[in-house]
Amino acid sequence: MSELKGACIIGQSGGPTSVINASAYGVIRTALDSDCITAVYGAANGIVGVLNDVLYDMSKEDPAELERMMYTPSSALGSCRYKIADPDVDDTDYKRILEIFKKYNVRYFFYNGGNDSMDTCNKISKYMMKVGYECRIMGVPKTIDNDLFGTDHCPGYASSAKYIATTCCEIYHDARVYDKGMITIIEIMGRHAGWLTAAASLASITGEAPDLIYLPERVFDMDQFIADVERIYKENGKVIVAVSEGIHDAEGNLIAETASGTTAARDSFGHAQLGGLASSLANIVKEKTGAKVRGIEFSLMQRCGAHIASQTDIDESFLAGKVAVESAINGITDKMVAFERVSQDPYRCETKLLDLSAVANYEKKVPDEWINEAGNGILQGYIDYALPLIQGETKMPKENGLPRFAKLKKIKAEV
Amino acid sequence: MSELKGACIIGQSGGPTSVINASAYGVIRTALDSDCITAVYGAANGIVGVLNDVLYDMSKEDPAELERMMYTPSSALGSCRYKIADPDVDDTDYKRILEIFKKYNVRYFFYNGGNDSMDTCNKISKYMMKVGYECRIMGVPKTIDNDLFGTDHCPGYASSAKYIATTCCEIYHDARVYDKGMITIIEIMGRHAGWLTAAASLASITGEAPDLIYLPERVFDMDQFIADVERIYKENGKVIVAVSEGIHDAEGNLIAETASGTTAARDSFGHAQLGGLASSLANIVKEKTGAKVRGIEFSLMQRCGAHIASQTDIDESFLAGKVAVESAINGITDKMVAFERVSQDPYRCETKLLDLSAVANYEKKVPDEWINEAGNGILQGYIDYALPLIQGETKMPKENGLPRFAKLKKIKAEV
């Protein structure tokens, strides 16, 4: 191990989660406590903050406020959805990043995000190696989507899963309160992978799960869907359905678009901005059945509901950030921190390190054997996998009956 | 006081809340423990269960499950939206209710609901007096809408308010995470009264409240709304707006209908079934500003989110049910239990009794002096009023990281 003295940057990227700040705090706290990291900078809005030379000096923050990042949702340093170019096509951004790294003597770079962010992290890492700038670069995973390759699960997923399962338990009671028939359609996030929607099935351990669950891993057949709903409606007059926003037909057309007759807007990565599927499906089902139908979107609440976060997730997220820094200090670079389940009962996960190039841009789907044959339900294998992840109630501090989230001063770093 | 021996019925009516079962449990527990109440029956789906002779014998339930009603959302006995006729026009239902009361020797009737339910309760009470059937009839209030007349607040309101304020704190962080502009429009329940939407302003004590809040107490001017949003968007690129589903123009037309170009369905009381306002307003604002706009509905979650209920609300809801039974046993009838705030700091509420006829069908609005002059914000008077109500974290029991709600056997009563 060669000791490398220098500053570090932590950046956050991609969509919010309840626990991404716990990971960032894991990085910041460990870095502040380390002898060889000479300064700890937070990039304003991820890599965009590096490009724009807007870095915050984390040593200027009140330690008590920093600690509150453990329980503060979304990205306290700000996030971005900036798609960095292929360096072989356009290396402008990379030259600029190198310039900033040199300016602040940055020798450690930690990037906290999902699939696209790991791709960015990987490209920067490879560029720095190519140009021979000594810098240790580590990915710290987060994504509610749980679609990162090579890790048992992703920090952020469990807290969203706990929100979704808890809310399904509650809606179960709400949606069957009347003496009249009622069909409820719940739309859950997840463009290509159905992990979040599958979490609705966790409510089955209390007997309160949706009757039907549709993931984007299977082709969505509208006629079959309507037949499924009608069958259960006839049986007991109450139906609860959970659908993933990313469900699509055999040709790959999004039902969110075909059912509403509109085309979704797209973000800078080309991802469709979905939403509205629940109400489109509700309209279709209403027309077919004549029943009272309500569409519900869990919307942003499923990703920022820190008050119902999993403490297991919070602790693991912190650990991921901490291990990233410790590993980098120990000479490791070009890796992402991942989790390996070493024991199922009792549940225990350990960290491991994966090559950034092995995780970037791959998407992990829900295994086929965890989805029932009809493609409208989730099997026990998933429950066994996910239930340990949602254990533990958040220790989020409250004041006046409301969350007390971190308030950072965000003082601009100076060289 | 004359001792009156006989059975009691508890019925639940109207929309779910997180704590209506706490009130029902207050009735059931107190009645089961009383000497002069000879049997405790739960009406299946409120007054409909009485009319259909479907009553559950509460003494047959496991006491531990009954106790879990304290923390179980929605109506464990089932609810209804049945509009009872004016007895002078059609007394069929009343004759049937009397028949059932006689069949089971019902001498106590407790009805747990909101405005419309208090009207039903009042009509039954007056009918029983008219025909000389000795029966003590008490209303036990619940409504997330907080619009019942004569009471400081309504059981159920505070828990929804806590959900709304907490979620606004969280969305504040989510909705400003990116380096790009963003406008977020949150739709909150409340047809005629803006109490629930006003609760978004509680997040101001942490500096995380929406920038603009519109209640149905004021006329909604679309041009002014767009100007308000554009002004704040220009100032800081991020805007969060909370709107009540019931906002309307000067002619009383619902914006939920005029903005979407559709007509809402109506329930059996003639109330419009709203929803979809946030996405209609989002489309309008998107077109006007070109900004990224997201519409969010708090939907059912705001009324069944028991996991974030106010323990103050839960305790008061239980108390309301308990006092209803104790008062009836002491000879009182034809009243609704209400709350009177006897101290603001420290907060302390006592129960009082109101004539059913004085509360039925009146709607209490948010006082004009708690809304700012521009009609787009909430003033300190409201914060002082509502903040004490959301204090206290729920003691809801959990198993396997999920809520453990009551499971009633619902065994049909026999004479």
Side-chain angles (χ1 to χ4, degrees):
Chain A
M1 167 198 154
S2 59
E3 189 180 82
L4 179 64
K5 282 230 176 209
C8 85
I9 289 178
I10 162 78
Q12 299 179 298
S13 175
T17 81
S18 289
V19 299
I20 183 169
N21 286 324
S23 284
Y25 180 63
V27 169
I28 293 166
R29 184 72 270 150
T30 312
L32 284 170
D33 293 344
S34 127
D35 289 332
C36 64
I37 294 181
T38 52
V40 181
Y41 302 126
N45 297 105
I47 199 64
V48 170
V50 180
L51 293 168
N52 292 342
D53 194 6
V54 185
L55 305 178
Y56 306 128
D57 187 340
M58 291 294 113
S59 72
K60 301 268 171 68
E61 299 290 342
D62 175 349
E65 289 299 331
L66 280 180
E67 197 178 342
R68 290 196 175 97
M69 287 177 71
M70 282 289 277
Y71 302 99
T72 302
S74 192
S75 304
L77 301 170
S79 184
C80 65
R81 284 205 177 276
Y82 184 81
K83 190 162 176 63
I84 200 162
D86 182 334
D88 295 333
V89 176
D90 179 2
D91 65 355
T92 317
D93 283 348
Y94 299 89
K95 284 179 172 161
R96 173 65 176 163
I97 293 167
L98 180 59
E99 183 185 4
I100 298 294
F101 277 18
K102 285 180 174 168
K103 175 177 172 183
Y104 293 92
N105 187 32
V106 172
R107 297 291 170 181
Y108 296 91
F109 180 70
F110 303 100
Y111 211 45
N112 192 190
N115 256 314
D116 295 318
S117 311
M118 289 307 123
D119 179 56
T120 301
C121 193
N122 181 44
K123 283 174 175 158
I124 295 170
S125 176
K126 299 304 182 291
Y127 180 84
M128 294 301 163
M129 283 191 225
K130 196 179 103 181
V131 299
Y133 180 80
E134 192 177 6
C135 181
R136 295 177 189 158
I137 295 184
M138 298 288 289
V140 184
K142 77 84 214 175
T143 168
I144 60 168
D145 292 324
N146 203 39
D147 59 353
L148 278 169
F149 189 80
T151 181
D152 180 81
H153 60 280
C154 302
Y157 173 63
S159 292
S160 285
K162 192 177 176 85
Y163 173 93
I164 290 162
T166 301
T167 307
C168 282
C169 290
E170 292 169 341
I171 286 178
Y172 174 92
H173 292 272
D174 191 300
R176 60 187 62 230
V177 70
Y178 291 118
D179 49 333
K180 304 274 166 58
M182 177 84 192
I183 300 170
T184 306
I185 298 172
I186 301 170
E187 174 181 346
I188 299 174
M189 284 180 173
R191 289 182 188 97
H192 305 119
W195 292 104
L196 287 170
T197 308
S201 74
L202 292 171
S204 67
I205 65 156
T206 63
E208 293 157 336
D211 302 286
L212 298 164
I213 300 178
Y214 300 90
L215 311 190
E217 277 78 359
R218 294 284 180 89
V219 166
F220 184 83
D221 181 307
M222 187 65 82
D223 294 334
Q224 187 56 51
F225 163 72
I226 290 165
D228 288 345
V229 171
E230 280 182 328
R231 176 175 45 81
I232 296 172
Y233 188 67
K234 260 182 210 155
E235 277 168 19
N236 59 32
K238 306 280 191 290
V239 191
I240 303 180
V241 185
V243 294
S244 173
E245 62 175 348
I247 53 168
H248 55 83
D249 64 21
E251 286 75 42
N253 302 303
L254 289 166
I255 306 300
E257 296 187 341
T258 59
S260 69
T262 62
T263 304
R266 287 179 191 274
D267 71 10
S268 57
F269 287 94
H271 305 315
Q273 301 292 296
L274 304 180
L277 172 65
S279 84
S280 298
L281 286 179
N283 286 336
I284 291 170
V285 170
K286 200 179 295 176
E287 203 169 288
K288 293 279 179 184
T289 62
K292 187 173 171 186
V293 190
R294 190 189 274 265
I296 299 176
E297 249 186 274
F298 284 172
S299 192
L300 301 187
M301 292 79 89
Q302 69 197 289
R303 72 181 191 192
C304 68
H307 71 274
I308 186 74
S310 151
Q311 188 63 39
T312 299
D313 193 19
I314 295 168
D315 293 338
E316 289 181 347
S317 299
F318 177 86
L319 180 68
K322 181 169 177 276
V323 166
V325 175
E326 289 170 348
S327 303
I329 289 171
N330 285 328
I332 292 166
T333 185
D334 201 39
K335 303 278 186 187
M336 183 190 85
V337 179
F339 290 104
E340 185 169 353
R341 194 176 303 214
V342 292
S343 165
Q344 169 67 14
D345 189 14
Y347 166 83
R348 198 161 62 83
C349 259
E350 288 178 359
T351 57
K352 62 178 179 180
L353 300 174
L354 301 175
D355 288 345
L356 277 173
S357 52
V359 289
N361 288 322
Y362 291 96
E363 280 182 325
K364 190 176 72 172
K365 305 288 178 80
V366 176
D368 196 57
E369 64 266 28
W370 289 354
I371 306 171
N372 72 1
E373 206 183 322
N376 61 15
I378 306 299
L379 301 175
Q380 188 61 35
Y382 169 79
I383 308 281
D384 295 339
Y385 162 80
L387 195 58
L389 308 179
I390 67 163
Q391 301 307 306
E393 305 310 310
T394 176
K395 299 169 194 156
M396 182 179 83
K398 292 205 172 186
E399 279 179 21
N400 286 308
L402 291 175
R404 171 62 168 87
F405 295 138
K407 293 181 201 294
L408 301 186
K409 284 182 284 193
K410 296 191 178 176
I411 294 167
K412 223 177 150 237
E414 312 214 349
V415 186
Chain B
M1 170 199 153
S2 60
E3 188 179 83
L4 180 63
K5 284 230 175 207
C8 86
I9 288 177
I10 163 77
Q12 299 180 298
S13 176
T17 80
S18 290
V19 299
I20 182 169
N21 285 325
S23 284
Y25 180 63
V27 169
I28 292 165
R29 184 72 269 152
T30 313
L32 284 170
D33 293 345
S34 126
D35 288 333
C36 65
I37 294 181
T38 53
V40 181
Y41 302 126
N45 298 105
I47 199 64
V48 170
V50 180
L51 293 168
N52 292 342
D53 194 7
V54 184
L55 304 178
Y56 306 128
D57 187 340
M58 292 291 114
S59 71
K60 301 269 171 67
E61 301 289 342
D62 176 349
E65 290 299 331
L66 280 180
E67 197 177 343
R68 290 196 175 97
M69 288 177 71
M70 281 290 276
Y71 301 99
T72 302
S74 192
S75 304
L77 301 170
S79 183
C80 65
R81 283 205 177 279
Y82 184 80
K83 189 159 175 66
I84 200 163
D86 182 332
D88 295 332
V89 176
D90 179 1
D91 65 356
T92 316
D93 284 347
Y94 300 88
K95 284 179 173 162
R96 173 65 175 162
I97 293 167
L98 179 60
E99 184 184 4
I100 298 293
F101 277 18
K102 285 179 174 168
K103 175 177 173 184
Y104 293 92
N105 189 32
V106 171
R107 296 293 169 180
Y108 296 91
F109 180 70
F110 304 99
Y111 212 44
N112 192 190
N115 255 315
D116 295 317
S117 312
M118 289 308 125
D119 179 56
T120 301
C121 193
N122 181 45
K123 283 174 174 158
I124 295 170
S125 176
K126 299 303 183 287
Y127 180 84
M128 295 299 163
M129 285 190 224
K130 198 179 100 180
V131 298
Y133 180 79
E134 191 177 8
C135 182
R136 295 175 189 160
I137 295 183
M138 298 288 289
V140 184
K142 77 84 215 175
T143 168
I144 59 168
D145 291 324
N146 203 39
D147 59 353
L148 278 169
F149 189 79
T151 181
D152 179 82
H153 60 280
C154 301
Y157 173 63
S159 293
S160 285
K162 191 176 176 88
Y163 173 93
I164 290 163
T166 300
T167 307
C168 282
C169 291
E170 293 170 341
I171 286 178
Y172 174 91
H173 292 272
D174 191 300
R176 61 187 61 229
V177 70
Y178 292 117
D179 49 334
K180 305 275 166 57
M182 177 84 192
I183 299 170
T184 306
I185 298 172
I186 302 168
E187 174 180 345
I188 298 174
M189 283 179 172
R191 290 183 188 96
H192 304 118
W195 291 104
L196 287 170
T197 307
S201 74
L202 291 171
S204 66
I205 64 155
T206 63
E208 293 156 337
D211 302 285
L212 298 164
I213 300 177
Y214 300 90
L215 310 190
E217 277 78 0
R218 294 284 179 90
V219 166
F220 183 84
D221 181 308
M222 186 65 82
D223 294 334
Q224 186 56 50
F225 163 72
I226 291 165
D228 287 345
V229 171
E230 280 182 327
R231 176 175 47 80
I232 296 172
Y233 188 66
K234 261 184 210 152
E235 276 167 20
N236 59 31
K238 306 279 190 292
V239 192
I240 303 180
V241 185
V243 294
S244 172
E245 61 175 349
I247 52 168
H248 54 82
D249 64 20
E251 286 75 43
N253 302 304
L254 288 165
I255 306 300
E257 296 186 341
T258 59
S260 70
T262 61
T263 304
R266 287 179 190 273
D267 71 10
S268 57
F269 287 95
H271 305 314
Q273 300 294 295
L274 305 181
L277 171 65
S279 84
S280 298
L281 285 179
N283 286 336
I284 291 170
V285 169
K286 199 179 295 177
E287 203 169 290
K288 292 280 180 186
T289 62
K292 187 172 171 186
V293 190
R294 191 189 273 267
I296 299 176
E297 249 186 273
F298 284 173
S299 192
L300 301 186
M301 293 78 89
Q302 69 197 290
R303 73 182 190 191
C304 68
H307 72 274
I308 186 73
S310 152
Q311 188 63 40
T312 299
D313 194 19
I314 295 168
D315 293 339
E316 288 181 347
S317 298
F318 177 85
L319 180 67
K322 181 169 178 274
V323 166
V325 175
E326 289 171 348
S327 303
I329 289 172
N330 286 327
I332 291 166
T333 186
D334 201 39
K335 302 278 185 187
M336 182 190 85
V337 178
F339 290 104
E340 186 169 352
R341 194 175 303 214
V342 293
S343 165
Q344 169 67 13
D345 189 15
Y347 165 81
R348 199 160 62 83
C349 258
E350 289 178 356
T351 57
K352 62 178 180 179
L353 300 173
L354 301 174
D355 288 345
L356 277 173
S357 53
V359 289
N361 288 321
Y362 292 96
E363 281 182 324
K364 189 176 72 172
K365 305 287 179 81
V366 176
D368 197 57
E369 63 267 28
W370 289 355
I371 306 171
N372 73 0
E373 205 182 324
N376 60 15
I378 305 300
L379 301 175
Q380 188 62 36
Y382 170 78
I383 308 282
D384 296 338
Y385 161 79
L387 195 58
L389 307 179
I390 67 162
Q391 301 307 308
E393 306 310 310
T394 175
K395 298 171 194 154
M396 183 179 82
K398 292 205 173 186
E399 280 179 21
N400 287 306
L402 291 174
R404 171 60 169 88
F405 296 138
K407 293 181 201 296
L408 300 187
K409 285 182 286 193
K410 297 192 178 175
I411 295 168
K412 222 178 149 238
E414 311 212 351
V415 186

